[in-house]
Amino acid sequence: MKILKYPNPILLEKAKPVEDFGPSLFALVQNLTHAIRNVEWGNPVGMAAPQIGDSRRVFIAEGDVYVNPEIQLSNQQDHAIEGCYSLEENKDYPVWRAQSVWIKYQDIKGEWHEKKLSGFQARVVQQEFDHLEGKSCASESQEVSPQQ
Ligand SMILES: [Zn+2]
């Protein structure tokens, strides 16, 4: 499973909502899982479907599958270093992120769930969500103070 790198056009477009919760979604989740297990460097915590060339709104973050996610960001932000398998190997990107998020999403069967995540977990889903919007931690990277 080849991981695409920026500026591959699939990574720059907005991914499409999943409407079919059948075998092709299952296959996508399997391929994502496989891609995460087989990375050649670092310690993967998530991956989004566009990174393996599939422009559907699906990602895996810390072992959980998120389909058609919608997120609400807290106003409070914190700053940390991120890396990404679609960017340069072992390169660090400092990014401001919301400290916590509410995330609403479907599971692989199409059932809706909602939860609040904070800290590192919130950061991981924000990076993966950005991939569905055609953004990366490089495009979001910022050393200076956060926008108010
Ligand atoms: Zn990434």
Side-chain angles (χ1 to χ4, degrees):
M1 190 58 50
K2 193 169 160 11
I3 298 174
L4 303 184
K5 303 266 188 187
Y6 289 90
N8 186 294
I10 293 173
L11 289 169
L12 298 174
E13 70 187 34
K14 200 170 151 128
K16 289 162 202 69
V18 171
E19 284 162 9
D20 177 3
F21 289 80
S24 104
L25 177 61
F26 185 76
L28 167 57
V29 170
Q30 279 193 313
N31 288 339
L32 268 178
T33 304
H34 185 79
I36 290 169
R37 285 200 190 123
N38 290 282
V39 295
E40 283 164 4
W41 54 277
N43 179 31
V45 286
M47 196 161 302
Q51 293 183 272
I52 57 166
D54 192 317
S55 192
R56 281 184 277 181
R57 300 186 76 78
V58 178
F59 63 73
I60 295 180
E62 297 191 290
D64 292 324
V65 177
Y66 297 84
V67 179
N68 295 333
E70 295 164 21
I71 61 175
Q72 266 190 299
L73 308 177
S74 67
N75 289 328
Q76 268 204 316
Q77 296 190 317
D78 53 26
H79 191 252
I81 298 297
E82 300 182 11
C84 178
Y85 288 95
S86 293
L87 295 165
E88 220 177 296
E89 189 170 328
N90 290 317
K91 189 157 179 200
D92 291 339
Y93 298 88
V95 189
W96 284 99
R97 298 279 191 199
Q99 257 174 16
S100 61
V101 298
W102 270 104
I103 183 161
K104 196 180 158 192
Y105 61 98
Q106 284 169 288
D107 61 25
I108 196 167
K109 293 176 186 158
E111 270 178 63
W112 283 98
H113 304 269
E114 202 174 326
K115 64 187 173 187
K116 187 184 181 185
L117 297 172
S118 56
F120 182 72
Q121 291 185 307
R123 181 168 288 272
V124 174
V125 299
Q126 286 173 85
Q127 175 173 146
E128 302 314 334
F129 186 84
D130 274 357
H131 284 305
L132 307 183
E133 298 292 303
K135 300 191 278 189
S136 73
C137 54
S139 62
E140 300 307 289
S141 187
Q142 196 183 28
E143 299 269 8
V144 292
S145 36
Q147 307 127 327
Q148 293 301 321

